[in-house]
């Protein structure tokens, strides 16, 4: 009950979490060498820690494409897979996203 709430009707848990929505690098003209992926993630993590100090919370959430290199990067940075989700968009074909969590 401290971090999630069980919904008996759907047999699922619901929890609040900080969402890292769009994390990416610009690879045009060699700009990808200006900052590493780990440095970029650390900047996002630092902002989340500041928000946690001000408002609480325990979990950070993100979704990633099912690509080994990408998943390895997040797992190396202490994120753990907990589920998957199929995208639903009228503009493109559905595909699977891997859902990952990390505790603060």
């Amino acid at each position: 009950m401290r971090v999630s709430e069980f919904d008996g009707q759907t047999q699922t848990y619901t929890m609040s979490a900080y969402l890292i929505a769009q994390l990416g690098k610009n690879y045009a003209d060699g700009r990808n060498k200006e900052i590493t992926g780990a440095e970029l993630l650390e900047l996002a993590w630092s902002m989340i820690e500041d928000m946690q100090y001000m408002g609480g919370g325990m979990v950070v959430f993100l979704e990633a494409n099912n690509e080994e290199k990408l998943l390895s990067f997040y797992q190396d940075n202490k994120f753990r897979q907990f589920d998957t989700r199929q995208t639903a968009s009228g503009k493109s074909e559905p595909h699977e996203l891997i859902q990952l969590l990390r505790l603060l």
Side-chain angles (χ1 to χ4, degrees):
M1 292 299 290
R2 185 170 170 227
V3 295
S4 65
E5 184 176 315
F6 183 71
D7 182 338
Q9 195 171 23
T10 62
Q11 297 292 298
T12 60
Y13 287 90
T14 301
M15 85 172 106
S16 296
Y18 293 101
L19 171 66
I20 298 177
Q22 293 288 322
L23 185 65
K25 291 175 46 171
N26 183 352
Y27 283 83
D29 300 324
R31 300 197 87 142
N32 60 314
K33 299 189 184 333
E34 293 179 10
I35 188 169
T36 67
E39 290 169 330
L40 188 59
L41 185 57
E42 181 56 37
L43 288 170
W45 192 259
S46 178
M47 294 294 294
I48 291 167
E49 286 179 324
D50 290 347
M51 292 185 300
Q52 182 207 25
Y53 177 76
M54 293 183 285
M58 296 181 65
V59 178
V60 178
F61 167 78
L62 62 82
E63 292 180 319
N65 286 326
N66 191 2
E67 298 173 12
E68 183 59 37
K69 186 175 179 180
L70 190 55
L71 296 176
S72 291
F73 169 74
Y74 286 122
Q75 290 168 352
D76 289 347
N77 284 281
K78 302 178 185 165
F79 282 86
R80 297 295 173 249
Q81 180 179 340
F82 75 95
D83 207 353
T84 61
R85 178 177 73 86
Q86 291 293 320
T87 63
S89 172
K91 297 177 182 176
S92 62
E93 289 293 317
H95 65 280
E96 183 178 66
L97 293 174
I98 306 300
Q99 297 177 321
L100 301 115
L101 290 177
R102 179 176 168 184
L103 297 178
L104 283 160

